[in-house]
Amino acid sequence: MSELRQRNRYRPDIAYLALLLLITAIAYWPVSLHIFSLKNDALNYFLPVRRLVSESFHNGQLSLWTPYLNLGYPLHGDMQSGAWNSIVQLFSLFGPYTLYTLQLETLLYVFLSGTGMYYLLKHFNVHPLANIMASVAFMLCGFNSDSCQFLNWISSASFLPYVFLFYYRCLEERSIKQGIYTAVALYFLFNCAYPADFIITAYLMIAMLIRRIILDWRKPIQWKNLLLTHGAMMLLFLVLSLPAIFSFYQSLLLTERGTGASYEDVMSNPLHPALLSSYLTPLAVWKMPGVEITDPLERNSYIGLLAFILMLTAFFYRKLPAPASFCKGAMLVFLLFSLGEMGGLRIVAYYVLPLMDSFRHPANAKLFTLFFGCVLAGLLFHQLITSGVDKRFKRGWAVCLLLLVLLFAVAILSGPTLLSASGWAAAKGSLSDRIKQLLESLSAGDLILLNILLQVPFLILLFRFIRQRQFGYATTVGILNCIVFTMLFQPFTVVKNTRAAVVQQRINEIKKDGYPVPDLRYTLAQNGEGNEQYMHEIGVRNMYSKQIGRSDYRVSPSNLLVQNQFWFNEPLRQRLLQHPLLYSPAFIFPIADTATQARDSTGLIAFIDDIKAPLRIDTSIQGTIQIKDFAPQSIHFETNAIGDNWGVIMINRHPRWELYRYGQRVKLLDANVAFMAFEIPPGPQEYELTYYQTDLQIAWWISTVVLFLFIAFVILTRLRKASAPALENNDPAS
C-alpha cells in the first residue's frame, strides 16, 4: 500500500502542469498579458522572419526562400529561422505571426522547460514538493530570463529535459519505445533549438552511453538489443529531420557558418568567473566591472535561493537517488566548458571533438550547468523530505551564508553610493524620474547590497521551515523567490518600455499581406529607403512592407557568401543598387571589369561571367520586361525585345533556382557577383523563375506523416492505459 500511495501522489499531472503554467504567466506577466513588448533580437530578427515563414505556410506553401531579406535568402537553410520548426508551423495555421504570437511562443518554451523537468524528476519518483520546486527553478532560471530575445536558445531549455529523460530510460530499459521517444525529442531539439546545443547534447548522450556500458561491464551486454534500439532511434530521427537535413547540408556550404569558426570566434563570449555570483545576487551582473568578455544576455545563472542551497549541499552527500553522481560530474564539466579559455575544456573540445569548432558563445553551455544543478536540487530535496535533515545540510547552508558574507564584504569595499543621499539629491524631475535616475546611478556594489537585503527574508524563512520540516511552506517560499527575481530581471533582458499594442500597431501601419508585384520603375536603392526608420521599434522595414531592397543592417545570423562578396564591394554595390529588380542592361562587361566600370559607366549595366569582352546593347532592341505574377519562390514575367538581348535578375543566386521559357529550361548565368542573368531572344516571351523544392516537399510530407503517426501512437497508448486496470507508469508520453 505504501508503494501505491507513493505512485498515487502523481496521479493529478494536470494539476501540476496547470500550476507550472500559472507560475509562468505570473512570473512573465508583462509578456503573458501583452503589456510590454519583447525587444532587440526578438523584434529585429525573430518576429519579421517568423512572419515571413508563417505567411508562406499559412498560404499552403513551405517557406523556403524570401526575397525580402538581403536581396534573397534561403530561410529553409537557416537553422534559426523556424522554417522547419513544428511549433512555428502549428501557430502558422492560424495566420501570419504577430508580436502576440511571438510572445506566446516565447512563453510556451519557458513552460515546456518546466514540464520537461517535471516529467524527468517524476521518472526518478521524486517527491512532488521537491519536483515542483526544481521544475520552477529550471523554468525561471537565469538562462531563460537572459535569453528570451533568442527563441532558439530558450527552446533548447524546453527540449533538453525530454531528451535526457527518454535517452536515460532508453539505456535503462533497452526499449525501442523509449528510443522512439528519444528520437522525437531530438527532432524537436534539432529543428527548434540553437544548433550548438544540439551538438553538445549529442556528446552528452555519448557520455551517457559510455557510462551505462561501464556500469554494466560485468554483466552480459546485450549488444544486439542495444544496436537495435539505437538503430531505430537514429532512423526515426533522420526520417523526421529529413527536410531540415537536406536544407542545412546544402545551405551551409553557401553561407558564412558553413566555413567553420576561427579559434577567436569560438572562444568569444565565455562566462566570466565573477558572474558565478549571480547564483546568489543576479541583479548585480549588469553593473559588475571587468566582465565585458561576457555578453550582457548571458550573465545570469540564477536558479532560486532554495535550489542553489540544495545544489550546493548535494556535493556533501555521497549517496543520493540516481542519477545524482552523473549530474554532479556533468555539472562541473559544463561549468568549466562555459568558462571558455579559462576553463580549459573548451580549448580541448575545439581541437579534438568534431563540430566543436563550428559555434561560438561558451557561456551558452551554462544551460547544461543549470539543468543538472536543478536535477541535483530536486534529488536532494526529495531525500530531505523523505529521510530528514542532518548535519550535512547544515554544511551547505553554512557555505551559502559564507558566500553571502563575502559578497557583502565585496559590496562594502567597492564603495557603494547607496549608503549616501547624494544620488537622491542629484536626481531631478518627478518622483518616477528621480527613482529611475537613482536606479541608473547604482553601482554593482549597490545592487549586491540590495540583492542581499532581498534575499535575507527568504533565507530566514527557508531555514525556519526546513528545520521544522515544513517542506510545503519551504517550497512555496522557494517558488516565490524565483518569481520575484524573474520579475526584477525582465526590464533588463526580456521586455522594453513600450506597450505591445504600440509595437503591433506600427507593424500594422506598414505591413502588406500577400506578395505584391514589384514595381520595376523603382530601383533597389529606392526600395531600401527608410528601411531602418523603425529599426529600434520593429526592425528592418521592408520585411513587412514587402519592398525588395537592401539595408545596411544584415538581419540574418549567417549571410550568403555571394551576397557578402557583392555587399563588401562598395563601388559595385552603390552602382548596382541603382538598378531595378529585373532589367535589360545597355552595357555588359566581363566580371573582371567590376572595379573600373562600376565607377565610370552610365545607364543600366551588368557584369556576366561568360562574357569575355564588353558589349553595348542597342537601346532600340532592348524591348520591355514586365512581371505578371510574383511569389517568393516563383516569378512569372514577360519580355518583348526587338533583337537578341540579356536579362538580369537581382535576386541572389542559389543552386535551386531554375528558369523556364514556355516550359523549356533556360540556362542561368552568374551575374553582378551575386545575381543571375539569362539570354532573351527576339519577340514576346514568357518566363517562369522557380525555386526547386520537389525533394523538400516529399521529405516534409514523409516527416509530417511519420510525426502524426507517432502522435496517434501516443494517444492510443494513453487511451489503452486509461482503460486498463493496471497502475499508470511514470512515462510522460503514456
Side-chain angles (χ1 to χ4, degrees):
M1 286 298 293
S2 61
E3 182 179 354
L4 179 62
R5 285 194 297 271
Q6 182 88 342
R7 290 184 177 273
N8 275 346
R9 68 187 185 188
Y10 270 120
R11 280 207 176 270
D13 277 357
I14 189 65
Y16 292 106
L17 300 184
L19 178 59
L20 290 176
L21 183 61
L22 179 63
I23 291 171
T24 303
I26 293 173
Y28 285 91
W29 65 270
V31 181
S32 59
L33 297 178
H34 300 303
I35 294 176
F36 295 110
S37 165
L38 296 172
K39 60 181 177 180
N40 298 343
D41 282 41
L43 295 184
N44 297 340
Y45 173 76
F46 286 99
L47 178 55
V49 168
R50 287 286 204 271
R51 179 172 174 79
L52 294 174
V53 168
S54 61
E55 190 168 18
S56 291
F57 198 79
H58 185 66
N59 290 326
Q61 301 176 359
L62 292 178
S63 182
L64 305 178
W65 181 272
T66 179
Y68 308 115
L69 177 55
N70 294 350
L71 300 177
Y73 186 70
L75 287 173
H76 67 104
D78 183 349
M79 295 182 176
Q80 305 185 54
S81 70
W84 302 117
N85 185 325
S86 297
I87 294 174
V88 173
Q89 292 180 351
L90 178 63
F91 281 12
S92 301
L93 296 176
F94 303 96
Y97 259 54
T98 65
L99 175 61
Y100 307 124
T101 316
L102 187 79
Q103 298 197 157
L104 288 175
E105 184 188 355
T106 301
L107 292 175
L108 176 62
Y109 291 139
V110 173
F111 171 66
L112 286 176
S113 64
T115 61
M117 181 63 72
Y118 167 79
Y119 280 117
L120 172 61
L121 293 177
K122 178 181 177 181
H123 170 68
F124 297 120
N125 209 21
V126 170
H127 191 280
L129 290 177
N131 190 332
I132 205 69
M133 181 280 303
S135 299
V136 171
F138 184 62
M139 184 174 72
L140 301 185
C141 70
F143 179 87
N144 278 344
S145 59
D146 258 357
S147 307
C148 268
Q149 298 176 28
F150 313 128
L151 270 74
N152 55 333
W153 286 31
I154 62 172
S155 65
S156 298
S158 303
F159 302 113
L160 173 62
Y162 289 102
V163 173
F164 186 85
L165 165 62
F166 293 131
Y167 191 59
Y168 189 92
R169 295 191 63 173
C170 178
L171 294 175
E172 274 189 328
E173 304 170 16
R174 305 289 199 274
S175 165
I176 292 181
K177 174 184 174 182
Q178 297 303 324
I180 290 173
Y181 289 154
T182 305
V184 175
L186 275 174
Y187 155 76
F188 278 102
L189 188 70
F190 181 67
N191 285 265
C192 305
Y194 186 49
D197 293 328
F198 176 81
I199 295 172
I200 294 174
T201 301
Y203 280 107
L204 173 63
M205 294 173 66
I206 293 173
M208 293 171 67
L209 175 61
I210 294 173
R211 171 183 175 272
R212 176 50 58 184
I213 291 174
I214 292 174
L215 289 176
D216 294 346
W217 73 276
R218 290 185 177 179
K219 304 175 184 177
I221 300 177
Q222 300 177 355
W223 292 107
K224 182 178 179 181
N225 183 269
L226 192 66
L227 291 173
L228 184 63
T229 301
H230 282 75
M233 178 182 70
M234 291 305 301
L235 178 62
L236 179 58
F237 168 75
L238 291 173
V239 169
L240 289 172
S241 303
L242 206 56
I245 292 172
F246 283 174
S247 298
F248 300 159
Y249 177 77
Q250 183 181 47
S251 292
L252 279 174
L253 301 176
L254 306 173
T255 58
E256 298 165 321
R257 294 295 173 91
T259 60
S262 66
Y263 177 86
E264 291 73 19
D265 284 342
V266 166
M267 297 301 163
S268 63
N269 190 26
L271 186 68
H272 194 287
L275 294 172
L276 296 178
S277 62
S278 63
Y279 278 102
L280 283 171
T281 56
L283 298 181
V285 298
W286 277 87
K287 294 291 186 72
M288 190 170 292
V291 298
E292 291 77 12
I293 61 170
T294 304
D295 188 278
L297 299 181
E298 276 296 290
R299 295 179 179 179
N300 184 7
S301 298
Y302 196 65
I303 55 174
L305 184 60
L306 177 57
F308 173 72
I309 294 171
L310 292 167
M311 176 193 75
L312 199 64
T313 308
F315 285 90
F316 291 100
Y317 284 74
R318 291 186 178 182
K319 293 184 179 181
L320 284 174
S325 58
F326 181 82
C327 290
K328 290 178 182 178
M331 181 184 166
L332 295 176
V333 166
F334 286 114
L335 176 61
L336 291 175
F337 188 94
S338 67
L339 298 178
E341 286 183 305
M342 288 177 282
L345 285 182
R346 187 66 185 97
I347 301 175
V348 175
Y350 176 81
Y351 287 111
V352 175
L353 299 178
L355 297 179
M356 282 291 183
D357 61 348
S358 62
F359 59 88
R360 303 174 295 160
H361 310 300
N364 177 267
K366 72 175 183 179
L367 163 64
F368 297 84
T369 308
L370 302 185
F371 168 73
F372 286 110
C374 289
V375 174
L376 270 178
L379 294 174
L380 177 59
F381 201 32
H382 166 82
Q383 181 152 319
L384 296 180
I385 294 172
T386 56
S387 303
V389 180
D390 56 28
K391 62 181 180 181
R392 289 172 295 180
F393 180 76
K394 295 179 181 179
R395 293 174 190 168
W397 200 276
V399 172
C400 178
L401 288 175
L402 177 61
L403 292 174
L404 280 173
V405 170
L406 291 175
L407 288 171
F408 181 81
V410 169
I412 295 298
L413 292 175
S414 67
T417 60
L418 186 66
L419 299 180
S420 68
S422 58
W424 178 258
K428 299 179 181 179
S430 65
L431 178 62
S432 60
D433 289 338
R434 296 180 74 180
I435 292 175
K436 183 178 179 181
Q437 293 172 43
L438 181 63
L439 290 175
E440 290 176 351
S441 69
L442 294 178
S443 66
D446 294 328
L447 292 171
I448 290 175
L449 288 177
L450 284 173
N451 219 149
I452 292 175
L453 289 174
L454 287 172
Q455 294 286 35
V456 167
F458 289 109
L459 199 65
I460 294 172
L461 289 173
L462 288 173
F463 181 79
R464 175 185 175 185
F465 291 141
I466 292 177
R467 187 182 63 176
Q468 297 178 355
R469 296 183 56 84
Q470 295 176 316
F471 297 110
Y473 290 130
T475 301
T476 302
V477 172
I479 291 174
L480 288 175
N481 181 263
C482 290
I483 292 174
V484 167
F485 280 91
T486 299
M487 289 180 177
L488 290 174
F489 219 80
Q490 285 178 66
F492 297 102
T493 57
V494 180
V495 295
K496 61 179 182 177
N497 190 24
T498 305
R499 298 186 71 84
V502 173
V503 175
Q504 187 58 47
Q505 179 59 35
R506 176 67 71 190
I507 293 172
N508 293 340
E509 290 171 358
I510 65 173
K511 73 177 179 67
K512 290 184 180 178
D513 296 323
Y515 306 108
V517 175
D519 192 334
L520 298 182
R521 294 175 299 176
Y522 298 101
T523 66
L524 297 174
Q526 290 172 321
N527 289 340
E529 289 179 359
N531 254 349
E532 299 179 41
Q533 180 181 0
Y534 305 117
M535 191 67 210
H536 297 294
E537 297 177 68
I538 59 172
V540 176
R541 178 190 180 106
N542 71 321
M543 296 178 71
Y544 296 103
S545 65
K546 306 290 180 62
Q547 291 177 305
I548 301 176
R550 183 65 159 86
S551 170
D552 288 337
Y553 188 80
R554 58 176 285 145
V555 184
S556 62
S558 181
N559 212 356
L560 285 169
L561 293 173
V562 293
Q563 175 61 201
N564 280 350
Q565 294 171 17
F566 164 76
W567 190 253
F568 294 133
N569 187 335
E570 186 173 357
L572 178 71
R573 177 186 79 201
Q574 297 294 347
R575 182 71 178 84
L576 292 178
L577 286 179
Q578 304 305 318
H579 294 58
L581 178 70
L582 182 60
Y583 68 94
S584 181
F587 299 93
I588 301 177
F589 303 99
I591 197 68
D593 293 346
T594 56
T596 57
Q597 299 300 336
R599 293 193 302 266
D600 301 338
S601 60
T602 59
L604 297 177
I605 64 173
F607 301 91
I608 300 177
D609 285 13
D610 287 13
I611 297 298
K612 305 303 180 185
L615 295 176
R616 183 182 187 280
I617 308 298
D618 190 340
T619 55
S620 64
I621 68 171
Q622 277 185 287
T624 60
I625 298 180
Q626 184 179 8
I627 298 178
K628 304 298 291 184
D629 188 48
F630 183 85
Q633 291 145 196
S634 177
I635 306 174
H636 179 214
F637 60 94
E638 297 176 347
T639 65
N640 190 1
I642 305 302
D644 291 335
N645 204 348
W646 293 82
V648 178
I649 307 168
M650 293 291 285
I651 292 178
N652 287 325
R653 65 175 179 265
H654 191 279
R656 288 185 174 273
W657 279 122
E658 296 176 347
L659 181 64
Y660 293 90
R661 181 173 60 236
Y662 294 115
Q664 297 296 316
R665 184 86 175 264
V666 176
K667 183 180 180 180
L668 282 169
L669 304 174
D670 295 346
N672 293 350
V673 178
F675 308 105
M676 300 173 283
F678 60 98
E679 295 185 62
I680 300 177
Q685 308 288 337
E686 290 190 10
Y687 292 87
E688 186 172 13
L689 180 71
T690 62
Y691 195 78
Y692 180 75
Q693 53 185 290
T694 302
D695 58 335
L696 297 176
Q697 289 176 332
I698 294 172
W700 182 80
W701 276 110
I702 292 173
S703 172
T704 303
V705 169
V706 171
L707 184 60
F708 272 102
L709 289 175
F710 169 78
I711 295 172
F713 165 75
V714 172
I715 293 174
L716 289 175
T717 302
R718 287 182 63 90
L719 292 175
R720 189 180 302 115
K721 287 185 176 295
S723 61
L727 291 173
E728 276 187 335
N729 62 22
N730 285 336
D731 188 351
S734 66

